[in-house]
Amino acid sequence: MELYTGYNDNLLYQSDEQDKKKTEFVYLVPQMGAAIEKKSRKHYLEYKAFLGQYFNSQSDDFVDHYVTAENELRLSLRNAIELNGAYSYQHEARGKVHLRVTLR
């Protein structure tokens, strides 16, 4: 689990000083994974959520979801089949996003 906190003095990236929205934020990143290895097979599944909460702008709160799967089937000493996939469901942020999440 990861936790990020901070302050954004221009959440909406407005050029006009009176339109700027200032807020503190908390990002929480829980994750879990499962792995199974059996003789000639390997399976791995990971889920990660990215929850963002802004104290002065609840309409900009979000939850992003990331799922990855890796599978390997060994056919012989020299041959194997790998099947990997990923899915993400992300919010559409207003302005620019400065925080980056990378899945491994």
Side-chain angles (χ1 to χ4, degrees), residues 43-95:
H43 308 284
Y44 178 72
L45 181 66
E46 181 182 45
Y47 171 77
K48 190 174 200 175
F50 194 88
L51 297 84
Q53 182 175 13
Y54 296 96
F55 297 127
N56 296 334
S57 182
Q58 285 76 25
S59 61
D60 289 303
D61 292 352
F62 63 90
V63 179
D64 294 343
H65 303 273
Y66 303 89
V67 178
T68 57
E70 298 175 9
N71 299 281
E72 180 182 302
L73 175 60
R74 188 118 326 258
L75 302 174
S76 66
L77 189 60
R78 294 183 180 184
N79 300 302
I81 297 174
E82 289 186 7
L83 180 61
N84 303 320
Y87 173 78
S88 67
Y89 180 81
Q90 301 173 344
H91 75 290
E92 233 180 274
R94 295 198 272 180

